[in-house]
Amino acid sequence: MTATLDGDSFVINGQKIWTTFGPWADWIFLLARTDPKDRHGGISFILCKLDAPGVTVRPLRQITGESEFGEVFFEDVRVPREYLVGKIGEGWRIAMTVLAYERGAGSLVYAVRYGRDLELLAATCKEIGRTDKAAREKLGRLLVENEVMRANGLRNLANLADGKTPGPESSIEKLLWSEFDKRFRETALDILGPGGQLLRKSAEARTDVDWAREFLWSRAETIYSGSSEIQRNIIAKRVLSLPQV
């Protein structure tokens, strides 16, 4: 993605893929290269209207059958200079701040959601008679992992309450919930067997979960918002101070 300053406008050319809510959004923010010679300092953070001339949005059909994401193409799109966020060349720093909040701030929400789904899974196991030791052990492991994630989320929340900005611990949280979600959905289908392909409702839990859909969706968890590989690199460099190899 490149942005060339031409008078009072940036001329944008390039492509952004895996854009959340891209097919319905009115605006998008871009990380565009304004200086090809500077790796990090040559990137700028620019806002853009998706109905601007030269913008094409194409829905991406996911394995779930939905199209929540889209790929966006830019061909000589003119964007007013006033849509620049910060200064030219500050895009990388701004993006890292945005990602730190995105990855860490919602961790408690995930813990609540997984806790709700765990209640339903346990209730469903009772209804179908799957209360053997192996099933209970798997449920117990999921419960413990979710509590660990919730505790880490509380730590992040406490730091925000103290006026601190999110740091590399956000990568720890993102790695926790995305990897956990995959294990959770795989374990649920393993315990429920073929019946796990059905939408389950439970009078005891008073909710429902489409286990098959959640399993398919979890395939993307370790990719978006920064892949697990990227999060491990951040943790290795900024938390553990491991040497670059």
Side-chain angles (χ1 to χ4, degrees), residues 24-217:
W24 309 292
D26 297 319
W27 288 79
I28 190 173
F29 71 78
L30 312 172
L31 292 175
R33 183 160 293 284
T34 47
D35 184 353
K37 298 180 181 179
D38 191 338
R39 181 180 179 186
H40 291 136
I43 297 174
S44 298
F45 196 105
I46 303 171
L47 305 178
C48 179
K49 291 184 177 181
L50 284 179
D51 62 355
V55 177
T56 302
V57 182
R58 299 176 185 171
L60 289 171
R61 184 175 176 85
Q62 299 149 225
I63 194 173
T64 59
E66 302 160 325
S67 295
E68 180 181 342
F69 297 94
E71 54 183 344
V72 188
F73 298 85
F74 301 82
E75 186 175 358
D76 292 330
V77 179
R78 300 191 71 87
V79 176
R81 182 168 181 168
E82 64 188 50
Y83 290 174
L84 173 70
V85 178
K87 299 178 181 179
I88 292 178
E90 291 186 338
W92 183 258
R93 180 181 60 82
I94 296 172
M96 292 303 98
T97 301
V98 170
L99 285 171
Y101 279 96
E102 177 185 357
R103 291 166 180 167
S107 55
L108 286 175
V109 176
Y110 286 108
V112 171
R113 177 192 173 199
Y114 296 142
R116 178 206 66 185
D117 290 358
L118 273 168
E119 289 183 8
L120 174 61
L121 182 57
T124 303
C125 286
K126 290 181 181 179
E127 292 172 5
I128 65 176
R130 188 68 199 275
T131 57
D132 54 274
K133 180 180 178 181
R136 295 199 306 271
E137 181 180 337
K138 292 175 181 178
L139 287 172
R141 185 179 295 112
L142 291 175
L143 178 62
V144 170
E145 287 191 65
N146 194 48
E147 285 301 300
V148 170
M149 185 171 62
R150 185 177 71 85
N152 197 56
L154 289 172
R155 181 180 68 171
N156 289 340
L157 186 62
N159 287 336
L160 292 174
D162 288 340
K164 300 177 182 178
T165 57
E169 66 274 7
S170 295
S171 291
I172 298 175
E173 192 68 6
K174 200 282 176 178
L175 188 63
L176 275 173
W177 65 253
S178 59
E179 295 286 350
F180 172 73
D181 191 45
K182 288 179 65 176
R183 290 193 298 272
F184 181 13
R185 306 309 174 181
E186 290 169 358
T187 301
L189 290 185
D190 179 47
I191 294 175
L192 297 176
Q197 300 298 314
L198 304 175
L199 177 65
R200 295 292 306 190
K201 294 187 177 183
S202 171
E204 182 177 336
R206 297 189 300 279
T207 185
D208 62 86
V209 175
D210 187 340
W211 296 109
R213 187 259 180 198
E214 293 295 336
F215 169 81
L216 293 175
W217 175 259

Side-chain angles (χ1 to χ4, degrees), residues 18 20 69 102 110 174 177 217 220-227:
W18 199 264
T20 306
F69 297 94
E102 177 185 357
Y110 286 108
K174 200 282 176 178
W177 65 253
W217 175 259
E221 300 277 17
T222 56
I223 301 173
Y224 66 68
S225 293
S227 68

